[in-house]
Amino acid sequence: MPLPKPSLEHDEELKEASPSASSWSTLSRLPADATIWDSSSGRTPRLREDQQPLQSKQDEEGAWPCFPDGELPQALKDDLDSIPAPSGTSRRGKAIVLGVLLSAGIVGVLVLAFYLEHLTRGRAAVEVAGKARADWFSAGAQGLPPGYCEEHAMVLPHLDEIKVKQWARNMVSQMTEEEKYRLTSGVGYEGYKAKKNYYVGSVLGVPRLGIPSIKMQDGSAGFRTMSKDMIGQVTSWPCSLAAASSFDPDLVREWAAAMGKEFRAKGANMVLGPSLNVLRMAFGGRNAESLSGEDPTLGRILAPAYVKGMQEDAGVAVALRNFIGDSQETHKTDLDVHMHSRVRWERYYPPFESAIRAGAAAVVCSYNKVNGEQACGNLDILDDLKSMMGFEGPVISSWWAIKDGLKTAGSGTDIDMPGNDGEFSKLKLNRLDPLRLDEMVERTLIGIGRSGAWSNLPGDDCRVGCNCDGPLYRTVATKPEHVALARKVAAAGIVLLKNADSTNTGQPVLPLQKTQKVAVVGGACGLQPNLDIEVKYGWTSSSYYWLGGSSRVLPTRVATLVDGLKRAGVDVHVSPGDNIAAAEPKMKDADLIIVCGGATATETADRPHLRLDQDDFVSQVTFIGSKMKVPVVVVAYAPGAILTPWRHQASGLLLVFPSGQTSGDALADLLVGEVQPSAKLPLVLPAQESDAMFPCQLEKCDYPEGLNGGWHLYDGKPVAYPFGFGLSYTTFEYTAGNMSDMKTDGSRTLEVTVKNVGNYTGRETLQLYMRFPITSPALAEEPNPVLRRFAKTKDLQPGESQKIIFELGPRDLMVWQAELRTWRMIFGVFSVGIGSSSRDLRLCGAFGNQLNVARTAKAPMTKCPDSEKLPIATPKS
């Protein structure tokens, strides 16, 4: 049979010719147009160009080193010629390529050998480390696990892009028992003090699983300065009560976000705050730390703003403090608070509940007992928190609050702080259900994982106990824009309580004119704290600018009122002491007198009284000023409620809660009118001290006031200044709008228009109060009225108006039914009032609430017959 004619037109056919390696020598000696027989295809393809022999002249260029006479043996020439290569490739080129390939092979073999040796050593090291950690764990797990600082850290996944619960469960399933226990207890304390390079609270992570450590820091007024090294590296912010006085959720969020960014820069990923305890008594040593003031609705509206600012905007987890009944410092660790569940749910739980709905990462349980059981081991209140409120994050103990580790863990607390009490050690929890241990760890991972505190971490994020000295003691986190914001928040929290007309001009004494001669008298006006003394006397040392204790943040220097007024260009004449004889000459020649007084407070002790330290001096100045017919403005620095026995003789009065390093500049901004006052009182200033609630002096502390705590303690009594009160330099007029029927979601709206009818730009805070119908004895226990909403206007120019729409939801019309552990809707006629304070109601009305009836009878909003009381109104059809 004749051979088939070869096809030379298509290169694809050439791919079928695959001469064996043993035939390359023969092929290389064939003529260029030779063909070979392919028995499998029956075709004779042309030999490929890259299989052609090389021209000898090109191949023989240059001598070959390492060979006699620089000549290649013929056998090597033949082998090189047999290697396929692009046309024109010389033997030398092929030899170089072969050399490179051979070298690469040798290197690969060496790398493989090294890797196998390293793997063997690594496994041996893991076994040694595992045994060392097992021994360390068995011995009580004190300090850092062996090899912890050197352990390789895996990369944490983007927790916002995955299901956090699933991730947490998966992580726990991969943990050793030691790693699980590691996440249930703090580390880094020696006695009652954190060791160097540790935070206020430190929990070790699990680097091999990519779980960072938890680094907690106190923060009611910024990143707590635990050592002198930190002073000046962070901003000393206004306290929480000052922020609460703004009644401004947007500003609270901005304040929290900026503080959070400083926490993040200092390496911390959890803030121990805010304090959401609704204030019960006026003498509380830590009252200025509260974001709720004396009303649950104030905390309920501001708390979510704080959580979002810290977590969403700054990436720092929030740990809400302190759950629950943490109302005084006296007998703090032994106090047994007795209160009904209805009181808890209606008065003390709402700020925590709203913060949890906003995504708060963690909750700190308090030192005290509640109804006979330690708060951290109280199954009832922790079940309220976890089951009823739906909280899924960790419950963290207050420092050394745990008395019985096994009972506390079984009741619902998940992390023991600071951990050196050993209450959550393996030894103490040896009878704990392993599933409960897993749940404790899962809750921690879920809470912090969702918060954003472990997201977008810098590559040099420090590992607590190993390398956190840099961020803790050297990183400068404060910024000029943070200082400017601190000044803004401080000004927004200063409450103008009095601004009478001057007998000389007939105009309000404030804002002052820069052309006036101003006498500034009293040591508090120019007080510059001595940092050496502040540091020497320890963490509870306080001043008029900050609280003592865990919220203390020391700056390098404070802007005093004297500093601020001078910078504002005011003609000031200073009498720096509290001596009336020295002050009188300055007062006599002045157009206006400013006198300052203050009071301090600290953690660990309640205030002994509500008077200012300079009360007698302030009284003398106001009395003499009135005789001289020179207006006197009192500036009162206070950590909470104060007495104001000299208020009737003063022409002006401003209340300043601890406001940090920019206090004086912020005050000057208000006094000269650069900033318009718009703050409201988050508490009551009583007319006399005997009207206030005093701390419980016995271990058992009943709450006989029930639902009528906080500012309601003064209902029916005269007060110096009521809850929600605060003046502006301008005046506002309220006009009623529509009141809607009930919507399909159970809500209804009330509209009101507020108009600036004064001569200055200003902002008003409208407050909506409500009165329940008294259709049963239980409803008679409800306070009258209750604050349900508030809203702050924008800056209104003179003559400008703004419509405010309040929305009331179903929960606003409910009370807690203890027997059924649920909320119960109340039907009947509700009175409603809108005003500028709890005792300045401008518009009053009523609406009916009936089962399955959307359009109920209502009374349109009209001028209130009594601005201090919300009447029982009869709605019209």
Side-chain angles (χ1 to χ4, degrees):
M1 175 181 249
L3 296 176
K5 184 178 180 180
S7 174
L8 303 178
E9 285 82 8
H10 302 289
D11 287 341
E12 286 79 0
E13 297 179 358
L14 304 181
K15 297 178 182 179
E16 301 179 14
S18 302
S20 64
S22 61
S23 63
W24 280 121
S25 179
T26 304
L27 291 174
S28 64
R29 290 187 288 272
L30 291 175
D33 59 350
T35 60
I36 61 170
W37 175 249
D38 184 345
S39 60
S40 62
S41 64
R43 292 177 291 186
T44 56
R46 188 179 69 182
L47 192 65
R48 292 206 304 258
E49 185 178 352
D50 63 356
Q51 296 171 348
Q52 304 301 319
L54 299 172
Q55 300 299 317
S56 60
K57 182 178 179 180
Q58 185 181 16
D59 292 344
E60 297 304 329
E61 292 176 353
W64 289 81
C66 303
F67 290 97
D69 302 324
E71 178 74 20
L72 280 178
Q74 185 60 43
L76 286 178
K77 292 180 180 180
D78 293 342
D79 288 337
L80 288 172
D81 290 343
S82 67
I83 297 175
S87 179
T89 302
S90 67
R91 291 175 180 145
R92 187 180 301 277
K94 292 182 180 183
I96 292 172
V97 171
L98 285 174
V100 170
L101 292 175
L102 180 61
S103 299
I106 293 171
V107 170
V109 170
L110 293 174
V111 169
L112 179 60
F114 176 80
Y115 171 76
L116 292 174
E117 181 183 9
H118 177 74
L119 187 62
T120 302
R121 288 183 178 180
R123 287 176 177 172
V126 169
E127 291 176 3
V128 171
K131 185 178 185 307
R133 286 193 181 180
D135 294 342
W136 168 83
F137 184 49
S138 300
Q142 294 299 311
L144 299 177
Y148 176 76
C149 292
E150 295 75 31
E151 184 176 323
H152 176 70
M154 295 296 291
V155 177
L156 188 71
H158 291 288
L159 298 179
D160 54 345
E161 299 175 359
I162 65 173
K163 296 179 179 178
V164 175
K165 282 187 179 181
Q166 181 179 335
W167 167 79
R169 196 173 299 114
N170 181 45
M171 290 296 97
V172 173
S173 70
Q174 298 180 52
M175 289 183 190
T176 65
E177 185 181 40
E178 178 270 315
E179 289 168 337
K180 293 176 184 178
Y181 273 95
R182 191 190 299 176
L183 283 162
T184 64
S185 292
V187 296
Y189 266 70
E190 188 171 326
Y192 292 96
K193 188 176 181 180
K195 298 177 185 177
K196 192 171 179 62
N197 298 333
Y198 286 85
Y199 292 81
V200 167
S202 303
V203 176
L204 301 179
V206 184
R208 72 177 187 86
L209 296 178
I211 299 171
S213 49
I214 305 171
K215 296 166 283 187
M216 313 173 189
Q217 194 75 358
D218 291 314
S220 294
F223 187 92
R224 176 183 166 190
T225 49
M226 299 186 297
S227 74
K228 196 170 183 179
D229 297 336
M230 298 176 181
I231 296 174
Q233 296 179 353
V234 293
T235 307
S236 179
W237 295 87
C239 70
S240 296
L241 195 61
S245 302
S246 73
F247 278 63
D248 188 343
D250 293 335
L251 184 62
V252 166
R253 179 168 183 169
E254 189 178 3
W255 165 69
M259 283 197 299
K261 289 172 184 175
E262 294 193 7
F263 273 67
R264 187 94 170 195
K266 297 295 284 182
N269 53 25
M270 178 178 283
V271 57
L272 296 168
S275 172
L276 295 181
N277 295 290
V278 179
L279 303 181
R280 178 174 182 259
M281 59 100 190
F283 300 87
R286 301 182 74 177
N287 281 6
E289 293 183 39
S290 174
L291 193 61
S292 299
E294 289 183 340
D295 193 276
T297 293
L298 181 59
R300 177 173 61 84
I301 292 175
L302 296 182
Y306 183 99
V307 171
K308 291 176 181 177
M310 270 286 173
Q311 295 191 169
E312 294 181 16
D313 302 339
V316 174
V318 167
L320 311 174
R321 300 186 11 246
N322 283 321
F323 194 81
I324 192 82
D326 183 22
S327 60
Q328 63 181 64
E329 295 299 288
T330 305
H331 303 308
K332 178 173 187 168
T333 59
D334 303 314
L335 200 68
D336 185 3
V337 172
H338 283 253
M339 57 176 161
H340 193 270
S341 64
R342 182 177 173 190
V343 176
R344 297 200 306 268
W345 278 100
E346 293 190 29
R347 179 150 192 83
Y348 296 103
Y349 281 176
F352 288 92
E353 195 175 4
S354 67
I356 287 166
R357 285 198 299 269
V363 173
V364 178
C365 54
S366 55
Y367 289 98
N368 54 278
K369 298 176 183 176
V370 178
N371 299 332
E373 294 286 348
Q374 205 76 37
C376 291
N378 191 309
L379 189 59
D380 287 341
I381 65 170
L382 294 181
D383 187 60
D384 286 346
L385 179 70
K386 293 184 174 184
S387 298
M388 303 297 290
M389 297 184 203
F391 177 61
E392 295 182 323
V395 174
I396 303 170
S397 78
S398 287
W399 273 227
W400 303 286
I402 295 177
K403 308 299 183 184
D404 183 336
L406 182 61
K407 182 180 184 298
T408 301
S411 298
T413 294
D414 304 294
I415 300 178
D416 170 33
M417 293 304 297
N420 63 339
D421 53 10
E423 288 293 341
F424 276 12
S425 66
K426 169 68 174 176
L427 179 64
K428 288 289 186 77
L429 301 186
N430 60 344
R431 291 186 288 115
L432 183 69
D433 186 339
L435 293 178
R436 169 61 186 137
L437 178 62
D438 287 356
E439 183 201 11
M440 293 162 70
V441 180
E442 281 183 22
R443 281 183 166 276
T444 298
L445 298 183
I446 290 169
I448 304 178
R450 282 177 175 168
S451 72
W454 286 342
S455 299
N456 303 313
L457 293 176
D460 58 350
D461 183 55
C462 74
R463 189 175 301 181
V464 72
C466 302
N467 60 343
C468 288
D469 55 320
L472 266 173
Y473 307 113
R474 293 191 294 275
T475 296
V476 176
T478 186
K479 300 178 179 179
E481 53 265 37
H482 288 180
V483 176
L485 178 59
R487 183 171 175 171
K488 175 182 175 182
V489 175
I494 297 172
V495 189
L496 178 63
L497 296 174
K498 188 173 183 180
N499 191 21
D501 290 342
S502 168
T503 56
N504 300 325
T505 65
Q507 297 296 316
V509 295
L510 295 175
L512 62 84
Q513 305 301 310
K514 294 182 181 180
T515 56
Q516 290 178 300
K517 188 176 182 179
V518 179
V520 181
V521 301
C525 293
L527 180 64
Q528 188 64 239
N530 186 313
L531 291 182
D532 291 331
I533 293 177
E534 290 287 335
V535 172
K536 177 182 178 181
Y537 284 98
W539 70 295
T540 57
S541 179
S542 59
S543 79
Y544 300 147
Y545 310 114
W546 50 76
L547 286 178
S550 57
S551 68
R552 189 177 75 159
V553 183
L554 300 178
T556 52
R557 182 177 173 81
V558 171
T560 68
L561 176 57
V562 172
D563 295 333
L565 289 173
K566 287 181 177 179
R567 279 194 280 265
V570 178
D571 181 16
V572 295
H573 299 264
V574 181
S575 177
D578 298 328
N579 184 295
I580 192 64
E584 276 194 73
K586 304 287 186 182
M587 296 165 55
K588 188 175 182 180
D589 296 331
D591 299 314
L592 180 75
I593 302 166
I594 297 176
V595 59
C596 302
T600 60
T602 184
E603 188 174 349
T604 72
D606 289 319
R607 295 165 62 194
H609 55 74
L610 301 182
R611 300 187 302 276
L612 297 180
D613 297 338
Q614 304 83 0
D615 218 38
D616 291 341
F617 177 70
V618 172
S619 293
Q620 290 174 325
V621 172
T622 54
F623 176 77
I624 293 174
S626 65
K627 295 298 183 184
M628 292 179 174
K629 297 189 182 303
V630 180
V632 178
V633 174
V634 179
V635 171
Y637 296 98
I642 57 169
L643 297 178
T644 55
W646 27 257
R647 66 185 179 278
H648 300 296
Q649 294 175 328
S651 298
L653 171 57
L654 295 102
L655 181 64
V656 188
F657 296 118
S659 295
Q661 69 187 68
T662 63
S663 298
D665 285 330
L667 254 172
D669 289 341
L670 259 72
L671 288 168
V672 303
E674 290 293 330
V675 175
Q676 307 301 314
S678 64
K680 300 288 185 178
L681 280 176
L683 41 71
V684 168
L685 300 193
Q688 54 190 12
E689 196 167 88
S690 59
D691 291 336
M693 175 75 70
F694 287 81
C696 291
Q697 297 300 318
L698 301 176
E699 181 177 319
K700 184 181 179 183
C701 183
D702 292 317
Y703 278 33
E705 72 278 10
L707 298 171
N708 290 280
W711 64 271
H712 291 291
L713 289 169
Y714 307 94
D715 289 348
K717 300 176 183 179
V719 298
Y721 298 100
F723 175 85
F725 179 80
L727 299 175
S728 171
Y729 290 152
T730 190
T731 53
F732 300 96
E733 181 181 85
Y734 291 41
T735 303
N738 295 326
M739 182 188 298
S740 75
D741 295 321
M742 187 174 67
K743 301 177 183 179
T744 55
D745 62 357
S747 67
R748 67 185 72 232
T749 58
L750 295 86
E751 296 178 359
V752 60
T753 298
V754 60
K755 182 178 181 180
N756 183 349
V757 294
N759 298 319
Y760 290 91
T761 298
R763 301 181 72 186
E764 172 68 315
T765 299
L766 293 82
Q767 301 156 47
L768 187 152
Y769 294 87
M770 195 182 75
R771 179 174 183 172
F772 278 86
I774 304 176
T775 56
S776 70
L779 290 177
E781 299 175 13
E782 288 294 324
N784 174 31
V786 291
L787 178 67
R788 279 295 186 251
R789 294 286 186 278
F790 60 83
K792 195 153 192 166
T793 69
K794 64 180 182 178
D795 281 319
L796 295 176
Q797 302 297 321
E800 187 178 8
S801 301
Q802 183 179 351
K803 179 188 287 186
I804 300 295
I805 301 176
F806 290 105
E807 182 176 273
L808 292 172
R811 174 76 174 267
D812 293 309
L813 313 182
M814 295 180 179
V815 299
W816 182 255
Q817 188 161 358
E819 298 80 7
L820 300 178
R821 295 189 72 197
T822 190
W823 292 96
R824 177 169 66 92
M825 177 66 73
I826 301 301
F827 299 103
V829 179
F830 290 79
S831 298
V832 51
I834 298 174
S836 187
S837 82
S838 59
R839 297 195 182 186
D840 183 15
L841 301 176
R842 310 285 181 86
L843 300 172
C844 293
F847 61 85
N849 185 42
Q850 299 177 34
L851 182 63
N852 297 325
V853 178
R855 189 171 186 179
T856 57
K858 54 192 174 186
M861 304 287 288
T862 58
K863 183 178 179 180
C864 297
D866 185 344
S867 64
E868 292 194 5
K869 297 179 182 178
L870 189 56
I872 299 177
T874 303
K876 300 178 181 179
S877 301

